[in-house]
Amino acid sequence: MMNIRTIARNVGVALIFDALFMFLSVIVSALNGYDESFSPLLLGCILTFTAGIFPIIFEGKSENISTKEGLAIILLAWVLSCVFGMIPYALYGGELSFIEAWFESVSGFTTTGATILRDIESLPAGLLFWRSSTHYIGGLGVVLFMVLILPSYGSVKMKISKMDVSDVSKDNFNFKTNEYVKVVLWVYSGLTAISFLLYHICGMSAFDALNHAFSTAATGGFSTKNASLGYYHSRSIELVAMVMMVISSLHFGLIYSSIVGLNFKVFKNTVTKFYLQMIMVFGFLVGLNLYFSGQFHSFGDAIWNGYFNVASLSSSTGFANCDTSVWPLFSKFILIYFCIQCGCSGSTTSGVKADRMWVMFNAMRAQLIKTVHPNAVVPVKLGNKVADKDMVYNIILYLLTFFCVMFVCMMIYAAIGMDLPDSISSSVSMIANVGPGFGSVGSYSNFASVPNLAKFVMSLEMITGRLGLFSVLIIFRLFRRG
């Protein structure tokens, strides 16, 4: 039997953090002449804070949390953050009807970055800041924000934090739970600060620089401009974005160890090298394809845009500097692959992760060698560790589940009335939390014209992708058993 009060108390802590960032958005609105978002944000902040503080007041601390309760806390923390996060959008109105407000909120918290807004620049400053803040909260993780201020530092914090980390990244974190939370926080904050300073130096206003820094560190993709980074027509801004997007998609534990140890440990890691080499090779191939297909007349422009968009989608950020929907099919296939793979475990990226792809490719290689040489012993390694059969099996099962869910959602979108390119790219984008697709939902378009039922299914797919497929399946399995 689950302790509902304990679950409510811990979810309440997550809502307090949401309310804190909503209050910061209220301040931004006030500093901008009490713009039209002031009242919606203030009311949303009051409602969110009230919903969060009540269970904390009336329920005491608890050290005993079962697996089912821990999973319930994670699921409810994410879902209720999205629910309360939509309040300012819904109260503001405009383009944002109830379903649009829900979609935008889910897209923000899951760091997907897909939007239904046709005119982002018409939003008041306070609402733009809240929109970027949902990325920032979701990037670090609603649950990790909650873990930061859990009143106890015992089994509760350990259980919840480990449940919200992918099974692949757990083996790479050589830190205790408290240290792990601090490492992630310091790296995340550092990446945000560096991104902000570099964007501002390169010509962004302080407000735009902060919003884009939130999106970059969270590998989310929300921009304050309709044309995303393409609005600025600045190679220096795009270079900052490329570098910081890729760094933000690397393992935070390895980044921290490299900084503290004054070494390049992060770049010596097997998976990191695989990930960066993939970007270098396929970014160049996309550039060549763009040049020889006549998409860009300048070889330099073709290579630049190839690398920018491969970096953007491989990090699951989704910033745009041009319309990739009109690109040749070869380039689109490469971008779709990176949408599925995304970055490394232990970062803010989503997708199946480069770690799993590395293990899968090596497992395939090992199996081919054993087919030719049956007595050969060919270990499958993940970094310095040998991946045992259970890990390989779980990774392959995860990939199969990922593609099954993606295919089912693709079929649903097609049944609702979306065309083939939109159905395929939307499903890939939603489950991998990347953002832009192709066709009418491309990098310079939006999801406004998508049927409302499809928007609702997409929101569920985004949450599933962000929580992790196995986590969602385990939750439903446990609750079905009662």
Side-chain angles (χ1 to χ4, degrees), residues 110-111 315-316 341-343 348-353 431-433 465-466:
T110 59
T111 70
S315 64
S316 80
Q341 175 190 281
C342 295
T348 57
T349 60
S350 298
V352 300
K353 304 288 193 302
I431 196 168
N433 304 124
R466 188 60 183 173

Side-chain angles (χ1 to χ4, degrees), residues 3 17 36 91 113 122-123 189 195 199-200 208-209 218 243 248 264 297 316 400 405 466:
N3 189 331
F17 259 110
E36 294 177 346
L91 293 177
S122 68
L123 291 182
S189 302
S195 297
Y199 280 137
H200 194 36
D208 283 353
V243 173
S248 297
F264 295 97
H297 298 297
S316 80
L400 288 173
V405 173
R466 188 60 183 173

